[in-house]
Amino acid sequence: MDNIKPIFQAGPIKSISRLVTALGITLSELEHVLHLSPNERYSDLKNPIYKKDGSVRVIKNPNRDIRKIQFRLNQRISKACVRWPDYLFGSIPKTDQSGNRDYVACAQVHCGAKSILKLDVSSFFDSIHKDHVYSLFHGLFRYSEEVSLCLANICCYEDHLVQGALTSSYIATLILWDVEQELVRKLRRAGLKYTRLVDDITISSTCHGYDFSMAEKLVFDMLAAKSLSLNVKKSVVYRTGTESLKVHGLEVSFSKPNLPKSEVKKIRAAVHQISLLAKNKSVRRTYKYRANYHRTLGRVNKLARLENDKRDRFLKVLLSTSVRPLPSGRDTGRDSTLCII
């Protein structure tokens, strides 16, 4: 039977005393955090992060005390005790039971599709109210009202989730726990495949020119049950014949997801540029060189996840003694010409 229902596999926590024991903290630590104002719990990032449309992405930085509790909640409860449905991807720990749930595994589900509908939940984190977080802990986790209210308080900024809180991604991934499974059943009965990577929903069909109007209506109704809505500007249908079908930036026309050839060429160019810059030993000691080197190394390692045969060749260049960054006591020579394609 398909795994489409999230299940909390541990026993319920019925009291605050049992909660602090489970989290490995003291009651005074918990009470201290609960008495902090939202602005005492979180601060703004020093450097704003911008979305593709140019607007600022609201991300808060939790202080040390609340970060500790959120980290313990993730490690000792969310990661260890949830059986995740097979259609959820993203912020899910890799285990023998869940397997790898990254964006590559998500794209794999849709390989061979002929029509794809992409949907985006509008202002997802900001739209998840504290009441929904309470319902998650009380309904799915079966925690007492007292414990559920406490955890909703700990996990929210003012009255909603916020990006930056350590627990937000897990909660956002599970927040549709009581309504999403029925949607998935209906879509699967129609021969459709459904995945959600946090707030990115993808529905695919192996039929050419599939009409997704009913599927989109079902998603709209599901989200409305949680006071969530679709970002209509990002609702797009793709079909074979117009362009190469992609899911999360990966081509899904074959049996396995592939990185587009244009992206592989950019990685090759980045590796080549690093090798040229490496000819100057003084440059290899600079901050920008090290930053660009590690960024390029990360892009190359992405090829391994996709089983791309060019990864070993690029990696050999980057790991050679003549290219690796040289140690430096202080960052010098921050030259603006050190940029990677």
Side-chain angles (χ1 to χ4, degrees), residues 123 130 211 305:
S123 303
K130 185 187 293 184
D211 181 3
R305 178 72 180 90

Side-chain angles (χ1 to χ4, degrees), residues 67-314:
R67 179 184 292 272
K68 175 182 176 179
I69 297 177
Q70 291 177 349
F71 177 80
R72 296 285 179 87
L73 183 58
N74 282 350
Q75 294 295 320
R76 304 190 180 197
I77 297 178
S78 299
K79 283 188 176 182
C81 303
V82 175
R83 191 185 79 179
W84 301 84
D86 56 18
Y87 51 82
L88 294 181
F89 296 84
S91 300
I92 297 175
K94 182 180 179 180
T95 64
D96 292 339
Q97 186 182 66
S98 68
N100 201 324
R101 295 292 190 89
D102 62 3
Y103 74 103
V104 178
C106 186
Q108 175 71 59
V109 173
H110 301 283
C111 281
K114 299 298 188 294
S115 303
I116 291 178
L117 169 65
K118 293 184 180 180
L119 303 170
D120 179 82
V121 185
S122 182
S123 303
F124 193 36
F125 288 86
D126 291 343
S127 298
I128 297 176
H129 194 270
K130 185 187 293 184
D131 291 347
H132 296 127
V133 180
Y134 163 81
S135 296
L136 172 66
F137 286 116
H138 191 54
L140 178 62
F141 286 32
R142 309 184 310 282
Y143 289 171
S144 69
E145 180 178 349
E146 179 186 32
V147 171
S148 299
L149 286 171
C150 174
L151 291 177
N153 187 316
I154 291 293
C155 296
C156 290
Y157 171 75
E158 295 182 334
D159 290 328
H160 56 82
L161 285 190
V162 63
Q163 293 189 65
L166 276 61
T167 47
S168 287
S169 292
Y170 289 112
I171 291 173
T173 302
L174 281 172
I175 205 65
L176 301 173
W177 67 277
D178 54 341
V179 293
E180 197 165 27
Q181 54 191 292
E182 184 57 30
L183 166 74
V184 174
R185 286 194 183 95
K186 290 178 180 178
L187 293 178
R188 289 183 179 179
R189 284 199 292 265
L192 302 176
K193 293 181 178 180
Y194 172 96
T195 61
R196 178 166 62 86
L197 195 154
V198 190
D199 60 347
D200 291 324
I201 293 173
T202 305
I203 302 173
S204 68
S205 170
T206 54
C207 298
H208 292 274
Y210 189 87
D211 181 3
F212 287 107
S213 56
M214 181 55 69
E216 186 170 2
K217 175 65 165 54
L218 290 173
V219 174
F220 178 88
D221 291 342
M222 175 193 69
L223 295 176
K226 292 285 186 179
S227 301
L228 300 171
S229 60
L230 289 172
N231 185 339
V232 293
K233 294 181 179 179
K234 293 186 177 181
S235 299
V236 185
V237 174
Y238 299 91
R239 296 185 173 91
T240 53
T242 56
E243 58 183 297
S244 176
L245 296 185
K246 298 184 184 70
V247 174
H248 305 308
L250 302 177
E251 295 179 344
V252 294
S253 300
F254 302 99
S255 60
K256 292 183 178 180
N258 292 310
L259 202 63
K261 291 182 178 179
S262 58
E263 182 61 25
V264 177
K265 289 180 179 179
K266 289 180 181 179
I267 295 175
R268 181 191 295 114
V271 172
H272 178 66
Q273 189 170 1
I274 282 285
S275 64
L276 292 178
L277 293 170
K279 293 179 180 179
N280 187 332
K281 286 189 175 181
S282 62
V283 168
R284 290 169 61 194
R285 291 188 172 89
T286 63
Y287 169 85
K288 281 201 171 182
Y289 182 84
R290 293 199 304 275
N292 288 334
Y293 174 89
H294 288 295
R295 176 171 175 263
T296 304
L297 184 62
R299 295 170 70 186
V300 169
N301 283 328
K302 183 165 66 173
L303 296 175
R305 178 72 180 90
L306 294 164
E307 300 179 3
N308 189 294
D309 57 7
K310 294 181 175 58
R311 183 256 189 180
D312 291 341
R313 190 200 322 163
F314 296 160

